[in-house]
Amino acid sequence: MDTDAFVGILDREGGLLASAAEAAGVDAEVPTCPEWRVRDLLRHTGMVHRWATAFVAEGHTAYHPDGGLPDLDGAELVAWFRQGHRRLVDTLTAAPPDVACWHFLPAPSPLAFWARRQAHETTVHRLDAESARGGTPAAIAPDFAADGIDELLRGFHARSRSRVRSAEPRVLRVRATDTDDAVWTVRLSQEPPIAERGDTGEADCELAGPAGQLYLALWNRTPFPAVSGDASLAALWRERSAITWS
């Protein structure tokens, strides 16, 4: 997927998130993030949007801290979220392709990184807002979901911060059943996981299902669609794979 496609998804997903948050109300509990209410979701995602915008708009070439959470609530908080989301979309749209700034996962360019990362960040949190609102969530396109799985497995969990470790070598397979060539082999050990595309060799456990369902399950939002083999590896993922802000 190209940068323009990611920015388009970010634009759509942020609008859906805000609408769901308004419908649910800021005091509603977020079932997919039990420790949060909708106000926490808006404050967090709005802060992340502004943090990402600053790198691209201001050209920070080293890590720059976020601006903290706002002391806003109700309609003011929703409006603040919408404003920050719009500025992020507009910043990414207007940025030159060769903009230089800090980013934290491998990518073809900093702009490509931030467009992709914020599209996925916002999509997962849109699902959170819709879980608070209730009803049927908006669909996630299979190719976009598969890209998000790849970012999570080969990006986030390739870092030293990943806590998905195993005392003995194990192999976890992740297979999207509705998308061509969307299979990953994840080798677990006492070191960070090593994930590669394809289904080379035997696996101790396989997580399978439609890409959209797998995407949300791997982000610990929904149950795994299907687990075969040693289910303790699925439990290990649940217990240790959370990506935290701090």
Side-chain angles (χ1 to χ4, degrees):
M1 299 180 65
D2 63 22
T3 298
D4 288 345
F6 285 123
V7 174
I9 291 169
L10 167 63
D11 193 359
R12 171 181 178 269
E13 294 292 325
L16 290 172
L17 192 163
S19 295
E22 282 184 315
V26 297
D27 197 46
E29 295 181 350
V30 181
T32 50
C33 294
E35 71 279 14
W36 274 1
R37 293 185 183 270
V38 168
R39 65 172 54 86
D40 303 305
L41 174 64
L42 288 171
R43 288 169 179 167
H44 168 79
T45 313
M47 174 272 290
V48 172
H49 284 173
R50 284 164 169 78
W51 178 72
T53 297
F55 285 105
V56 179
E58 300 170 17
H60 297 291
T61 55
Y63 175 82
H64 187 74
D66 64 76
L69 302 178
D71 186 19
L72 296 172
D73 211 348
E76 284 186 309
L77 177 59
V78 177
W80 175 85
F81 172 83
R82 287 188 185 276
Q83 181 185 53
H85 168 249
R86 176 48 46 200
R87 181 156 185 252
L88 173 59
V89 171
D90 290 348
T91 296
L92 293 172
T93 300
D98 61 350
V99 63
C101 61
W102 180 85
H103 58 292
F104 61 88
L105 295 178
S109 70
L111 182 62
F113 165 81
W114 285 111
R116 181 195 199 196
R117 176 80 292 277
Q118 292 309 301
H120 287 298
E121 174 87 9
T122 307
T123 298
V124 172
H125 288 316
R126 181 267 291 174
L127 184 280
D128 293 332
E130 290 179 339
S131 77
R133 180 203 63 195
T136 303
I140 301 172
D143 60 339
F144 177 70
D147 179 82
I149 294 170
D150 195 75
E151 183 201 44
L152 183 62
L153 296 180
R154 298 205 299 158
F156 277 102
H157 285 288
R159 301 185 301 168
S160 61
R161 294 176 61 177
S162 178
R163 298 185 304 113
V164 183
R165 311 288 179 100
S166 173
E168 300 295 331
R170 309 300 300 279
V171 178
L172 177 67
R173 179 146 302 132
V174 177
R175 185 185 304 274
T177 56
D178 61 346
T179 308
D180 290 340
D181 301 320
V183 183
W184 295 262
T185 298
V186 186
R187 302 187 188 282
L188 305 178
S189 68
Q190 297 182 45
E191 300 299 321
I194 297 174
E196 58 184 2
R197 297 295 287 260
D199 56 358
T200 304
E202 297 294 322
D204 298 295
C205 176
E206 180 165 304
L207 311 175
Q213 293 181 34
L214 273 180
Y215 174 65
L216 294 175
L218 288 164
W219 276 106
N220 294 321
R221 264 44 184 199
T222 58
F224 290 115
V227 178
S228 58
D230 185 354
S232 71
L233 293 187
L236 175 71
W237 184 271
R238 284 283 187 228
E239 292 166 4
R240 301 190 184 178
S241 67
I243 305 295
T244 58
W245 180 250
S246 58

